[in-house]
């Protein structure tokens, strides 16, 4: 088992206007008691509409947000006990993990290698390897601010595999990318799965998830609705695709908007 | 912080330096601006003032003499017309003419006690009017002299020997080094501070709110980094940029200063005297100033980072820093006030101390003790600020939270009722209070004498109360308003007795290490002594017990508790309490008292317990002011003078015992009441 998640919740506080001059704190759960497991070779899809709690969940899995309750453990290591050791085994990528524009990809990777405490010689050969693998040769020494969106996304991927993590956490990695760029990312995930790495990945593109995920978790308003392989989810809801499966499940709960 | 990696800190430092130096804007602000700005300001300012002076000197000014001129005065005015440059006019109503600026000044004449008495009317807000009145004074002065000489002549005396029986001349013996030093000493510290702050501001914003705005912060947080590695690296990078920019400013200013002095010397000496600057004697002060700049750059960088890391964008960071800039400028002007000198008291005040040290260094006037205190206190402030930084920058509230940690800058409508006061708000109120006290407290004491202390205490009380009202805090919780049990009070008093012994021991140790003038200590006592024992007890013991406890133990400790663990919170409260007294010698004793007062509050849960302890402490001091023999006895027993070791050791043990027993009494109480509280 690569990743074990037990009953994690995240509580936020927001202020609500109760009358004209009073504001009170209101607590709500962005993620509410989710439990699941991810094995080596899994591409685990977290699916849900906007505001379902996907980003909060993935941030907690990435070790950059602390759960209010529950435990997350990676290869037997609990994030609570040693967050830094935990982070060393994770490659985290989201729409919010931007890169330093005034640096070149090579400089960025060198500094990140140092921050992961990788010996300098190892970092060097690893960077060369990554540059060939992700085809960064043409712009490895140009400033990142000068690169195109697709090129930048490839550098972002390079950034999260410099320390060869056991688990990748990708939060909507294909959001806003063109066909070629998103294909490169999907291709990358499929290749890493073959190497025995695990991927937890969130999206609201249901079709994309259906083709690559072997496990899917539906969440809505922070709560798990269903979990299983795409086939089992379709079978359980008697539908032909994941999108319809999701809509059926929501309807059953009587929570469809409109 | 168990496995701190210095390599990681260095990598962060390298990353920030790379990032900052590749930004052309930073380089322009840092290097080009000071190199160009000062010479330009100098040239423009000097040209402008010369122009203004010349035109004013040349201009003939309209004035009125609102009385018939006496023949001798009339002749005088006519004969010296080219010197006085006055045009006499005769408006009907001179007062109105002056108001309408038809004339610039006028004179009236009255007879009082058989003497002519003139009154010169002018408008001080108008430069020409001031010049006109000066010229009229000159006329009247000459007229007076004329009349005197006439009278003396009639009495048969020689005017010269009666009016000026002796002659004297002023000759300035100050060398050019001292003159340069004095000139630079008044203006340089202020400019240096401003340069350092502006130099640190841009990179500080860039590495904190800049990361947030550009969306790189989350990337950084995916890395296995501790808060100290992250903020330590950022802090060093900002400090380096601040130092570089300050150095450039410094050299640019010194060059301009030398140029200015040389041109002044040329003017004064008719173009013959070259400036005698002996660079050899200036090496030591310049070296000292470099050290000051370094240390101060560290302090400024840490402080500014503490503020910018709360901001969510560049714009917000800029808004936060504007008042901070003013906060820096006020104390930086200390060098321009002649009365303020560097002593053990001022040496502990941030910003002021560095300015005064630079001024002293330039006047070739050093005191090793003061220098040590200045550098040490700045280092302590810096370390405190960096530790706070490393704690807060990682916290989720700052990263993902919608509400800023600085609620005081938030509109009151958006503040949640009954919320806890944040660490940032608490520090803001504290430093605002510190600066306010620094300026207000001497003013009050000068104006109202002894009762000025009461007014100062009122300020200390009002500040946290206003903040708590604005932040809609729960008063009962924030100020620990709860009645204590008898047991708590006994425990608190025992704790205080121990604290008192410890405080006295530490004070005597400090006095032994840093000998201080006895007079200074005695003078402090005189300020605190009122008309009667009862008045003194009220102002010096009761009021501080209430006001200071509500501020430090109530407001500050409560807000710190929310963001830091209990033990650091108690320590920081003690430190803030100690620094508030603005005196180096009292630093250790007030720290000990502050920590133990806070401990008593934490254990008992009631503000009354530390209030009683504080009252007991100050009351003892007040009573001993009226019975000096008693003061001597109390202070001399547990004092360390360098010879006796046995008695201090015994008292140390006694203090430990008292604190232990007092703490036990309080502990039991706490254990029983926790269920009731929650």
């Amino acid at each position: 088992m690569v990743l074990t998640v037990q009953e994690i919740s995240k509580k936020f506080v927001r202020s609500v206007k109760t009358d004209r001059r009073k504001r009170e704190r209101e607590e709500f759960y962005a993620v509410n008691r989710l439990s699941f497991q991810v094995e080596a070779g899994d591409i685990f899809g977290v699916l849900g509409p906007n505001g379902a709690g996907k980003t909060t969940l993935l941030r907690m899995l990435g070790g950059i947000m602390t759960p209010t309750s529950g435990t997350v453990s990676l290869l037997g290591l609990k994030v609570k006990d040693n967050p830094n050791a935990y982070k060393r085994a994770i490659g985290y990528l989201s729409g919010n993990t931007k890169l330093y524009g005034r640096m070149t990809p090579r400089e960025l990777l060198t500094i990140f290698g140092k921050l992961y405490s990788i010996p300098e010689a190892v970092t060097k050969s690893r960077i060369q390897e990554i540059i060939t693998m992700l085809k960064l040769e043409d712009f490895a020494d140009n400033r990142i601010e000068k690169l195109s969106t697709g090129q930048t996304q490839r550098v972002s991927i390079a950034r999260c595999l410099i320390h060869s993590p056991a688990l990748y956490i990708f939060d909507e990695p294909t959001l806003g990318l063109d066909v070629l760029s998103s294909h490169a990312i999907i291709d990358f995930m499929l290749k890493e799965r073959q190497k025995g790495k695990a991927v937890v990945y969130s999206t609201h593109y249901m079709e994309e998830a259906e083709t690559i995920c072997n496990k899917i978790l539906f969440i809505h308003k922070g709560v798990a609705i269903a979990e299983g392989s795409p086939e089992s989810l379709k079978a359980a809801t008697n539908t032909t695709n994941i999108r319809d499966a999701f809509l059926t499940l929501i309807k059953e709960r009587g929570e469809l908007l409109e | 912080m168990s496995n701190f990696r210095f390599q990681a800190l260095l990598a962060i430092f390298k990353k920030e330096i790379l990032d900052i130096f590749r930004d052309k804007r930073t380089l322009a602000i840092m290097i080009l601006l000071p190199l160009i700005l000062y010479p330009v300001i100098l040239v423009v300012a000097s040209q402008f003032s010369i122009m203004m002076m010349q035109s004013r000197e040349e201009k003939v000014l309209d004035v009125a003499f609102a009385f018939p001129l006496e023949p001798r005065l009339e002749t005088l005015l006519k004969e010296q017309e080219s010197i006085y440059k006055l045009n006499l006019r005769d408006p009907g109503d001179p007062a109105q003419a002056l108001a309408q600026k038809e004339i610039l000044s006028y004179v009236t004449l009255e007879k009082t006690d058989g003497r002519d008495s003139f009154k010169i009317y002018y408008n001080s807000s108008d430069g020409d009017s001031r010049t006109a009145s000066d010229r009229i004074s000159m006329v009247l002065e000459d007229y007076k002299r004329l009349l005197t000489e006439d009278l003396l002549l009639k009495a048969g005396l020689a005017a010269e020997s009666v009016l000026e029986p002796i002659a004297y001349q002023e000759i300035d013996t100050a060398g050019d080094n001292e003159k340069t030093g004095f000139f630079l000493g008044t203006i340089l510290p202020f400019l240096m501070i401003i340069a350092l702050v502006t130099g640190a501001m841009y990179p500080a914003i860039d590495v904190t709110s800049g990361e947030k705005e550009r969306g790189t912060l989350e990337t950084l947080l995916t890395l296995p980094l501790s808060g100290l590695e992250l903020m330590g690296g950022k802090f060093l990078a900002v400090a380096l940029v601040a130092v570089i920019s300050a150095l450039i400013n410094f050299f640019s200013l010194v060059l301009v200063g030398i140029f200015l002095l040389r041109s002044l010397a040329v003017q004064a000496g008719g173009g013959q005297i070259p400036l005698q600057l002996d660079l050899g004697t200036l090496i030591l002060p310049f070296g000292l100033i470099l050290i000051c700049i370094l240390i101060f750059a560290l302090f400024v960088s840490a402080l500014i980072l503490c503020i910018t890391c709360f901001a969510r964008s560049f714009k917000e960071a800029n808004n936060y820093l504007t008042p901070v800039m003013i906060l820096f400028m006020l104390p930086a002007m200390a060098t321009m006030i002649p009365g303020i000198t560097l002593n053990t008291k001022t040496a502990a005040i941030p910003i002021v101390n560095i300015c005064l040290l630079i001024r002293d260094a330039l006047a070739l006037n050093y005191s090793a003790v003061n220098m040590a205190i200045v550098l040490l206190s700045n280092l302590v402030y810096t370390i405190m600020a960096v530790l706070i930084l490393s704690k807060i920058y990682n916290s989720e509230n700052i990263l993902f939270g919608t509400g800023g940690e600085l609620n005081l800058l938030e509109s009151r409508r958006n503040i949640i009722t009954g919320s806890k006061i944040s660490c940032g708000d608490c520090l803001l109120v504290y430093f605002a209070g510190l600066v306010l006290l620094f300026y207000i407290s001497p003013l009050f004491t000068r104006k109202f004498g002894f009762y000025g202390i009461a007014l100062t205490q009122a300020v200390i009380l009002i500040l946290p109360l206003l903040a708590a009202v604005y932040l809609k805090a729960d008063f009962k919780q924030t100020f620990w308003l709860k009645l204590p049990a008898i047991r708590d009070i006994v425990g608190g008093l025992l704790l205080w007795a121990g604290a008192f012994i410890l405080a006295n021991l530490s004070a005597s140790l400090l006095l032994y290490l840093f000998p201080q003038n006895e007079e200074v200590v005695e003078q402090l006592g005189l300020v605190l002594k009122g008309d009667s024992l009862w008045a003194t007890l009220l102002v010096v013991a009761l009021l501080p017990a209430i006001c200071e406890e509500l501020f430090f133990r109530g407001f500050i400790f409560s807000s710190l508790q929310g963001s830091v663990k209990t033990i650091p919170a108690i320590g920081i409260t003690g430190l803030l309490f100690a620094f508030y007294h603005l005196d180096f010698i009292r630093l250790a004793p007030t720290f000990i008292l502050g920590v133990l007062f806070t401990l008593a509050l934490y254990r008992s849960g009631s503000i009354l317990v530390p209030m009683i302890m504080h009252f007991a402490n100050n009351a003892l001091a007040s009573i001993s002011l009226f019975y000096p023999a008693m003061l001597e006895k109390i202070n001399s027993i547990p004092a360390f003078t360098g010879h006796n070791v046995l008695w201090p050791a015994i008292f140390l043990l006694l203090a430990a015992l008292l604190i232990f027993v007092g703490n036990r009494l309080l502990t039991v109480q706490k254990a029983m009441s926790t269920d009731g509280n929650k």
Side-chain angles (χ1 to χ4, degrees), chain B residues 298-321:
Chain B
L298 295 180
F299 171 68
V300 168
S301 308
L303 198 71
I304 290 187
L305 276 175
C306 274
I307 292 157
T308 54
C309 77
F310 287 112
R312 279 160 284 180
S313 62
F314 277 102
K315 204 178 134 225
E316 215 177 272
N318 268 321
N319 288 345
Y320 286 177
L321 284 181

Side-chain angles (χ1 to χ4, degrees), chain B residues 148-465:
Chain B
T148 321
E149 279 174 7
D150 273 6
L151 284 172
L152 287 170
L153 214 62
K154 270 182 198 153
L157 290 166
E160 192 69 24
S161 59
V162 174
L163 288 177
E164 278 169 45
I166 56 158
Y168 67 90
Q169 219 183 335
E170 280 179 6
I171 295 155
D172 187 1
T173 62
D176 279 338
N177 275 332
E178 285 163 68
K179 269 193 230 163
T180 317
F182 181 75
F183 165 74
L184 289 174
T186 357
I187 186 92
L188 195 76
F190 178 72
L191 290 170
M192 289 305 314
I193 303 283
I194 303 305
L196 258 172
V197 176
T198 33
M201 232 156 84
Y202 186 76
I205 294 176
D206 200 56
V207 302
T208 51
S209 29
E211 290 245 23
K212 249 180 256 183
E213 194 155 296
R214 289 191 294 265
T216 49
L217 189 58
E218 206 171 320
T219 319
L220 205 58
L221 289 176
T222 62
L223 289 162
L225 283 171
S226 73
L228 195 62
E229 288 159 0
L230 183 66
M231 286 326 282
K234 282 178 181 289
F235 158 70
L236 284 183
V238 174
L240 179 70
V241 176
V243 167
I244 293 175
S245 102
L247 286 184
I248 293 170
N249 273 283
F250 176 65
F251 286 114
S252 173
L253 260 173
V254 168
L255 282 179
V256 167
I258 290 174
F259 173 78
L260 191 75
L261 279 175
R262 178 164 294 179
S263 64
L264 280 180
V266 168
Q267 269 179 4
Q272 288 305 311
I273 309 165
L275 191 63
Q276 298 285 320
L277 261 190
D278 179 7
L279 285 174
T281 55
L282 285 179
I283 284 177
L284 188 62
F286 276 25
L288 240 169
I289 290 170
L290 286 185
I291 296 172
C292 285
I293 289 176
L294 251 159
I295 299 275
F296 193 64
L298 295 180
F299 171 68
V300 168
S301 308
L303 198 71
I304 290 187
L305 276 175
C306 274
I307 292 157
T308 54
C309 77
F310 287 112
R312 279 160 284 180
S313 62
F314 277 102
K315 204 178 134 225
E316 215 177 272
N318 268 321
N319 288 345
Y320 286 177
L321 284 181
T322 316
V324 172
M325 191 76 179
I326 295 167
L327 220 77
F328 270 103
M329 276 160 82
L330 277 177
M333 285 180 204
T335 49
M336 301 179 191
I337 308 167
I340 297 181
T341 54
L342 192 63
N343 51 40
T344 49
K345 235 173 165 154
T346 47
I349 306 171
I351 309 166
V352 172
N353 56 9
I354 286 282
C355 291
L356 292 175
L357 185 57
I358 294 179
R359 183 179 72 176
D360 277 9
L362 284 168
L364 310 176
N365 165 16
Y366 320 101
S367 141
V369 175
N370 289 344
M371 244 158 21
I373 298 173
V374 173
L375 300 182
L376 212 73
S377 63
N378 271 293
L379 272 180
V380 170
Y381 296 141
T382 308
I383 291 169
M384 262 170 64
V386 173
L387 288 182
I388 291 174
L389 255 182
S390 64
K391 281 265 175 290
I392 52 180
Y393 196 62
N394 247 345
S395 87
E396 279 171 35
N397 277 339
I398 292 179
L399 278 180
F400 307 116
T402 43
E405 280 264 300
L406 278 175
N407 280 324
L408 276 173
L409 302 176
E410 202 78 40
S411 148
R412 191 165 186 263
R413 278 185 303 148
N414 299 332
I415 295 170
I416 300 170
T417 315
S419 51
K420 276 211 128 190
I421 293 159
S422 72
C423 187
D425 286 328
C426 146
L427 290 178
L428 192 71
V429 172
Y430 175 76
F431 282 110
L434 210 59
V435 172
L436 207 64
L437 279 185
F438 177 66
Y439 288 101
I440 278 186
S441 157
L443 196 81
F444 280 169
T445 351
R446 208 173 310 138
K447 224 163 179 176
F448 305 104
F450 171 71
Y451 292 99
I453 300 173
L455 281 174
T456 311
Q457 288 296 329
V459 172
I460 294 173
L461 181 66
I462 289 167
L463 218 55
L465 289 184

Side-chain angles (χ1 to χ4, degrees), chain B residues 577-593:
Chain B
F577 183 64
F579 279 117
Y580 145 83
H581 286 86
L582 295 177
D583 190 350
F584 177 72
I585 293 299
R586 284 162 75 199
L587 213 57
T590 43
F591 173 67
I592 293 168
L593 288 170

Side-chain angles (χ1 to χ4, degrees), chain B residues 419-567:
Chain B
S419 51
K420 276 211 128 190
I421 293 159
S422 72
C423 187
D425 286 328
C426 146
L427 290 178
L428 192 71
V429 172
Y430 175 76
F431 282 110
L434 210 59
V435 172
L436 207 64
L437 279 185
F438 177 66
Y439 288 101
I440 278 186
S441 157
L443 196 81
F444 280 169
T445 351
R446 208 173 310 138
K447 224 163 179 176
F448 305 104
F450 171 71
Y451 292 99
I453 300 173
L455 281 174
T456 311
Q457 288 296 329
V459 172
I460 294 173
L461 181 66
I462 289 167
L463 218 55
L465 289 184
L466 278 182
V469 168
Y470 187 84
L471 295 170
K472 302 183 189 166
D474 181 345
F475 267 64
K476 226 174 143 182
Q477 207 178 19
T478 309
F479 295 106
W480 306 72
L481 305 177
K482 193 190 125 193
L483 278 180
I486 302 290
R487 188 175 184 151
D488 289 328
I489 297 175
V490 176
L493 282 173
L494 286 180
L495 212 60
W496 165 70
F500 176 75
I501 296 173
L502 269 186
N504 256 332
L505 273 175
S506 67
S508 61
L509 187 68
L510 273 178
L511 271 173
Y512 172 72
L513 291 175
F514 299 95
Q516 207 187 21
N517 206 335
E518 273 293 311
E519 272 172 46
V520 177
V521 182
E522 268 170 31
Q523 236 173 7
L524 193 77
L526 283 181
V527 175
L528 293 174
K529 193 172 169 180
D531 303 331
S532 70
L533 179 59
W534 292 114
T536 312
L537 275 179
L538 177 73
V539 172
V540 180
L542 188 64
L543 279 179
I546 294 172
C547 304
E548 288 176 10
E549 286 313 307
L550 281 175
F551 191 8
F552 286 95
R553 253 56 67 182
F555 188 76
I556 290 182
F557 180 60
S558 306
S559 15
L560 283 176
Q561 247 194 332
S563 3
V564 217
K565 289 200 182 93
T566 305
I567 292 172

